[in-house]
Amino acid sequence: MMQLHYFPGNASMAPHLLLEEIGQPFELKQVDRANNAHKSAEYLKLNPNGLIPVLVDGETVLYEAAAILLHLADTHPAAALLPALGTADRAQAYKWLIWLTNTLQPALLAYFYPERWVKDGNTEGAAEVQARAEAKVVELLAQVEAQLALHGGPWLLGTDYSAVDAMAFMLCRWTRGFASRPARDFPLIGAYLQRMLARPALQRMLATEVLPQPWV
């Protein structure tokens, strides 16, 4: 049985959601982040970066949420969570998944952890980093809004729900505390997030992780 090492609301949310969508048995193992369990010697054997999530699938141990999403989609083709291999639609799925994890997510991390980018004790500098990161994220969300407007479909890639939507939902959710323009305030993204929330798999994930509202 697959095992997902997770912490509520963290980057493990997207893989957790996809596991719920697939509908096959899996085990959740909560990592006690409050007590730095993700930095323990035992956990570092699974992920030497000390980050969440990790998926254990038999002899396969994977970290990096995007890699886990691709693996789950590839090993469960009946769930149809990615377009067919070798197609233009598959290429677009790769593009958006990598953009989400390599462009949007780093900007969000700068927002949540601005102190990492300044000298210790430089609270003014950290505040400036956070403000600039928030502005950058809003600019990037405009690209998501434009993508939804371009094809007019219900999901990020168009007509069909995919693994990319799991990542997009998670990152959009992380903006819920923005003072300027959280993802839900974009008209098309806001409607998209409500469609996501209506999915039974997402509701099961939220219930299991016991996440408080607002969800987005």
Side-chain angles (χ1 to χ4, degrees):
M1 185 184 298
M2 290 182 291
Q3 183 183 75
L4 180 68
H5 295 251
Y6 85 109
F7 188 82
N10 276 214
S12 49
M13 175 182 283
H16 186 183
L17 172 55
L18 216 63
L19 286 165
E20 291 287 358
E21 291 283 358
I22 290 167
Q24 297 296 318
F26 65 93
E27 179 186 359
L28 288 173
K29 185 170 183 179
Q30 184 166 332
V31 182
D32 188 358
R33 184 175 175 179
N35 289 312
N36 283 327
H38 56 308
K39 306 298 183 183
S40 68
E42 180 182 5
Y43 189 81
L44 291 173
K45 291 177 183 177
L46 299 174
N47 184 352
N49 303 292
L51 298 173
I52 301 166
V54 167
L55 179 78
V56 179
D57 184 5
E59 297 299 316
T60 301
V61 178
L62 281 178
Y63 46 87
E64 299 297 334
I68 294 171
L69 295 180
L70 291 171
H71 173 71
L72 291 174
D74 287 344
T75 53
H76 298 83
L81 291 167
L82 281 176
L85 276 169
T87 63
D89 287 343
R90 181 77 166 219
Q92 291 297 317
Y94 290 150
K95 179 193 78 176
W96 278 105
L97 183 59
I98 291 170
W99 180 85
L100 287 164
T101 192
N102 280 10
T103 303
L104 180 55
Q105 188 170 355
L108 280 160
L109 292 177
Y111 169 81
F112 285 112
Y113 305 104
E115 70 281 357
R116 295 177 179 177
W117 304 100
V118 297
K119 292 182 178 180
D120 291 345
N122 185 357
T123 55
E124 183 177 343
E128 183 176 352
V129 168
Q130 186 175 60
R132 286 180 174 268
E134 182 172 345
K136 181 63 177 178
V137 169
V138 172
E139 289 179 8
L140 296 174
L141 289 173
Q143 293 186 41
V144 178
E145 183 82 355
Q147 165 71 358
L148 292 169
L150 179 65
H151 57 62
W155 309 114
L156 192 58
L157 298 182
T159 303
D160 297 324
Y161 179 90
S162 75
V164 181
D165 292 300
M167 179 68 76
F169 175 85
M170 179 181 76
L171 298 181
C172 285
R173 179 182 180 275
W174 288 358
T175 72
R176 67 194 183 283
F178 276 17
S180 55
R181 196 177 187 190
R184 64 177 179 269
D185 284 357
F186 287 81
L188 297 180
I189 298 177
Y192 165 76
L193 294 175
Q194 291 305 309
R195 287 191 292 274
M196 289 290 296
L197 286 170
R199 295 184 71 86
L202 198 147
Q203 286 296 318
R204 290 195 298 272
M205 181 273 293
L206 292 173
T208 300
E209 297 200 4
V210 197
L211 296 173
Q213 295 205 43
W215 288 324
V216 296

